[in-house]
Amino acid sequence: MNQFIEKGHIKVAPEVYHALMNGKPVVALESTIISHGMPYPQNYETAKEVESIVRENGAVPATIAILDGTPFIGLSDDQLRRLAILGRKVQKTARRDIPHIVSAGGNGATTVSATMVFAHKVGIPVFVTGGIGGVHRHGEQTMDISSDLTELGKTPVTVISAGVKSILDIPRTLEYLETQGVTVAVYGSNEFPSFFTESSGCQVPCRLDSPEECAKLIDANSNLSLGTGILIAVPIPKEYAASGNMIERAIQQALAEAKEKNVTGNEATPFLLARVNELTGGASLVANIALVKNNACMGARISVALAKLRRGTVRSAL
């Protein structure tokens, strides 16, 4: 049984703790994708595969969740399975929800914003997810804007994702990130991806073409103490990119149904993603899993490059 190490009010898995203490690469992973992303046992199997990919590429995975009121950084196999079995019974947890879940002794699956909070508290600089939240379509009227964006504006953690969930308004999301002072980069392209497809039509000023370039960007942001996060968007692999037109039609239908059923707030994204998956005959879920695994591979490589860069800097200083 894992003997977790207490750090304040947080418990850290021994492997994660010792890696951080020794400057070794660690990659944070969210848990909402496990509880709300897909059914059991597929969610458990995918979570294990993602952790394995991180390890195979030289880093230590740290899946983050709140269990029985305690935030955990790095889950044991039993905890991971428990979270997967509980599924949607676990509360989807953003930054605002953390105090309530902890004080009530509840179970919380962390979204991007909550995962960033906990990753930063223990010193994990790189976090991998599928796609971040953003400005919802018609957000200029509803003011429905994900806390992921404001978190990126105030928490210095680098998020590796396939861009913004395609059910959202990508141009307005990028505008909002600019307002928050967040550096947005794309790996291997000048065009921001559209989650299920490689392009959105939105250009970004920062292109990165290697894990080492990503590491230098992260290190510069840290050395300058800018206090903001970084978003590195990694386009979905070509062989898994679903048909953009098919996905877009499904999204429009799902959005109409959500409006008709008055599905809003935290429930909107899970409803829309599930409905889009149904309407595309499962194609969107297959693509989603593929891009998460691709992001995990890239995130681990970036984390390894960052650890190597920082070790070199320490040696030079000495």
Side-chain angles (χ1 to χ4, degrees):
M1 184 176 179
N2 282 353
Q3 295 298 314
F4 285 88
I5 297 158
E6 291 201 29
K7 186 178 174 66
H9 298 285
I10 298 169
K11 288 192 175 182
V12 184
E15 181 186 23
V16 175
Y17 179 84
H18 292 300
L20 291 171
M21 289 301 99
N22 291 288
K24 294 182 179 179
V26 178
V27 172
L29 300 167
E30 61 153 294
S31 47
T32 297
I33 194 170
I34 302 169
S35 61
H36 289 68
M38 58 199 80
Y40 181 82
Q42 189 179 26
N43 54 357
Y44 170 73
E45 293 163 355
T46 300
K48 293 296 290 182
E49 288 171 5
V50 169
E51 287 195 346
S52 293
I53 289 169
V54 171
R55 292 185 194 283
E56 288 164 8
N57 285 278
V60 174
T63 301
I64 297 174
I66 301 172
L67 295 172
D68 301 318
T70 299
F72 284 88
I73 314 295
L75 301 183
S76 68
D77 187 67
D78 287 343
Q79 289 174 322
L80 202 61
R81 187 184 295 275
R82 176 188 173 196
L83 188 68
I85 292 172
L86 285 171
R88 291 177 179 271
K89 293 178 183 176
V90 178
Q91 184 169 332
K92 187 179 176 185
T93 306
R95 171 189 270 266
R96 68 163 191 186
D97 306 304
I98 294 171
H100 170 62
I101 302 296
V102 170
S103 63
N107 298 314
T110 55
T111 61
V112 169
S113 65
T115 306
M116 288 181 70
V117 168
F118 289 123
H120 180 55
K121 282 185 178 294
V122 298
I124 302 175
V126 177
F127 159 44
V128 163
T129 186
I132 67 165
V135 178
H136 281 253
R137 300 191 188 197
H138 311 297
E140 71 278 13
Q141 299 167 351
T142 64
M143 293 301 292
D144 193 348
I145 300 171
S146 171
S147 63
D148 296 353
L149 305 188
T150 49
E151 201 63 49
L152 275 160
K154 63 187 176 187
T155 302
V157 169
T158 296
V159 180
I160 314 297
S161 84
V164 181
K165 296 182 180 75
S166 57
I167 55 175
L168 306 172
D169 188 321
I170 294 174
R172 283 192 171 91
T173 297
L174 292 174
E175 287 288 349
Y176 195 88
L177 284 169
E178 181 185 358
T179 301
Q180 292 292 312
V182 177
T183 298
V184 177
V186 179
Y187 194 90
S189 175
N190 296 311
E191 189 172 340
F192 197 77
S194 183
F195 197 65
F196 292 119
T197 57
E198 299 167 272
S199 60
S200 65
C202 300
Q203 300 292 309
V204 296
C206 182
R207 171 176 175 155
L208 303 168
D209 290 299
S210 70
E212 290 73 25
E213 286 184 9
C214 296
K216 287 179 181 178
L217 178 71
I218 296 167
D219 200 48
N221 189 64
S222 175
N223 290 339
L224 292 167
S225 302
L226 294 176
T228 50
I230 295 172
L231 174 63
I232 299 178
V234 181
I236 186 172
K238 284 183 172 63
E239 63 268 28
Y240 290 106
S243 165
N245 290 332
M246 177 181 70
I247 295 286
E248 183 58 32
R249 285 196 300 271
I251 288 170
Q252 292 301 330
Q253 183 175 333
L255 285 166
E257 292 176 10
K259 184 177 181 180
E260 185 180 321
K261 296 179 180 180
N262 197 31
V263 179
T264 58
N266 273 353
E267 296 303 313
T269 297
F271 171 83
L272 290 169
L273 291 177
R275 190 68 185 113
V276 169
N277 186 54
E278 290 174 8
L279 293 169
T280 59
S284 65
L285 180 57
V286 171
N288 199 347
I289 292 172
L291 64 83
V292 170
K293 291 179 179 179
N294 186 55
N295 294 346
C297 176
M298 187 56 61
R301 291 177 181 176
I302 291 169
S303 184
V304 168
L306 180 62
K308 183 177 180 180
L309 175 65
R310 289 178 170 173
R311 282 198 300 271
T313 301
V314 170
R315 289 196 190 98
S316 297
L318 294 175

